[in-house]
Amino acid sequence: MTVNLRTAYAPLLALAGVGCLLAVFLGAPPAWLLIWVGLLLPLLALVARWSPVRSGTVAASLGVTAVAVWPVPLMWGTASWLEACGAGAFWAVPALGALAAGGYLRRQASRMRQAVRDGRRDQQLELARDLHDFVAHDVSAIVVQAQAARFVADQDPEQAVRALERIEAAGLGALASMDRTVHALREAAGARSTSVPGTSELPALVGRFEGGVLEADPAAARELSREADTTAYRVAVEALTNVRRHAPGAAVVRVRLHRAAEGIELSVANSAPARGAGGLRGLGLRRSGTGLAGLRGRVEAAGGTLRAGASADGGWRVCAVFPAQGHTLG
């Protein structure tokens, strides 16, 4: 019902404008003409707000003309041509004002719709990055463990069985990450924050990583804001994924969450020399993920800082520092 009425505004204004013009030149009483003009003004605003541009332009032109010229015939023989033009210009002002009011509301509504579209697109992109980053970690683990199981299957069946167990755990983790993301897509935007894992998931994450060592201070984790908590987990996922990709021979990968002088620090460091020229520098070269630049942007959005570079023993270290709740990094 509302949609049909909105599409009828332009034709209704066009008919009212033509009727008013005919009434003007047929000599209708001024009181009736004023009432007619009073009806045209809200119609002009409604057309500017709701009608399609093409039909609305035609109807608005007729409406403005009718409002502007209605006093002109009343002045024939008693006023000069210049005075008649001045009267028409004077009455055109409220008509243009009605159009401006409707156009302003139309523009505001358009901006609101665009903001909603932009918000949805940003949310979809963020969810896509979540899905990629979380699942990529577990898929990388599956690939590495499958390769290891293939090489040791004949010589050490027990090692192959343990590798298969780790593959199963990584697969279940990937499925859980996908379930969280699909659930976030189905839920309202406000429910999304509860579906993204945080530092409380670090033990399970590091436990699936062969050679991973976790040193986490629960008191420090409680000082992180919700955004910083989920971002810290993402940093750990990204860094561990790239250890598997670019330094698979790392003997130990140490994940540490603790209270530092600058704030709450999360660091991921591999102790073995990285494979290839860049080692974990691949964090900044990934083609399908967020990369170092995207990860740094997320950390900074949470109020923190991100550093990555070679460690003293020839490995690679990624370090993110977040402000404790109630503090801001200087």
Side-chain angles (χ1 to χ4, degrees):
M1 182 67 177
T2 303
V3 175
N4 292 336
L5 185 59
R6 290 175 181 177
T7 57
Y9 287 146
L12 185 60
L13 176 61
L15 289 174
V18 171
C20 185
L21 289 171
L22 290 174
V24 167
F25 291 104
L26 290 176
W32 287 101
L33 293 176
L34 275 175
I35 294 174
W36 210 314
V37 168
L39 294 174
L40 286 174
L41 292 177
L43 277 175
L44 283 167
L46 289 172
V47 166
R49 171 64 181 90
W50 298 110
S51 296
V53 175
R54 182 175 298 179
S55 61
T57 301
V58 175
S61 300
L62 289 170
V64 171
T65 302
V67 173
V69 305
W70 82 269
V72 174
L74 302 178
M75 303 173 66
W76 285 342
T78 62
S80 66
W81 178 84
L82 186 60
E83 289 174 331
C85 289
F90 175 81
W91 281 98
V93 171
L96 295 175
L99 286 176
Y104 174 78
L105 294 176
R106 186 188 193 109
R107 185 180 181 186
Q108 291 300 104
S110 177
R111 285 182 174 180
M112 185 176 297
R113 288 192 299 270
Q114 185 62 44
V116 170
R117 287 194 294 267
D118 291 343
R120 287 176 178 172
R121 185 181 67 250
D122 292 342
Q123 186 184 43
Q124 289 169 353
L125 291 174
E126 188 173 357
L127 287 170
R129 287 192 294 266
D130 286 346
L131 182 61
H132 172 270
D133 291 342
F134 296 149
V135 175
H137 169 78
D138 292 313
V139 172
S140 298
I142 291 172
V143 172
V144 171
Q145 295 298 333
Q147 291 172 341
R150 184 165 56 110
F151 285 115
V152 302
D154 295 334
Q155 292 83 6
D156 194 344
E158 289 188 9
Q159 287 288 345
V161 170
R162 284 195 289 272
L164 291 174
E165 291 174 350
R166 288 191 288 269
I167 289 173
E168 180 184 11
L172 292 173
L175 288 174
S177 296
M178 292 179 66
D179 287 342
R180 281 193 296 267
T181 305
V182 172
H183 178 71
L185 285 169
R186 290 175 177 171
E187 293 295 321
R192 187 182 174 277
S193 59
T194 62
S195 66
V196 180
T199 55
S200 61
E201 303 286 333
L202 283 177
L205 175 70
V206 178
R208 297 196 300 267
F209 195 94
E210 188 173 3
V213 177
L214 175 64
E215 299 176 7
D217 181 2
R222 287 193 294 269
E223 294 187 56
L224 291 171
S225 66
R226 181 183 296 274
E227 184 181 8
D229 188 65
T230 57
T231 304
Y233 180 81
R234 179 186 291 277
V235 171
V237 169
E238 185 82 6
L240 289 174
T241 299
N242 282 280
V243 171
R244 281 204 176 100
R245 290 181 174 180
H246 305 288
V252 177
V253 179
R254 191 176 303 277
V255 180
R256 192 176 182 210
L257 178 67
H258 65 105
R259 189 75 165 84
E262 301 89 349
I264 310 301
E265 179 181 285
L266 174 85
S267 63
V268 181
N270 65 302
S271 60
R275 183 180 64 183
L280 282 184
R281 292 176 180 85
L283 182 66
L285 301 176
R286 290 173 54 190
R287 286 181 272 179
S288 57
T290 59
L292 183 59
L295 197 59
R296 178 175 284 112
R298 282 183 169 273
V299 172
E300 291 175 353
T305 59
L306 180 71
R307 300 188 300 271
S311 56
D313 60 358
W316 195 260
R317 184 171 183 267
V318 176
C319 176
V321 181
F322 301 93
Q325 285 187 337
H327 299 80
T328 303
L329 293 180

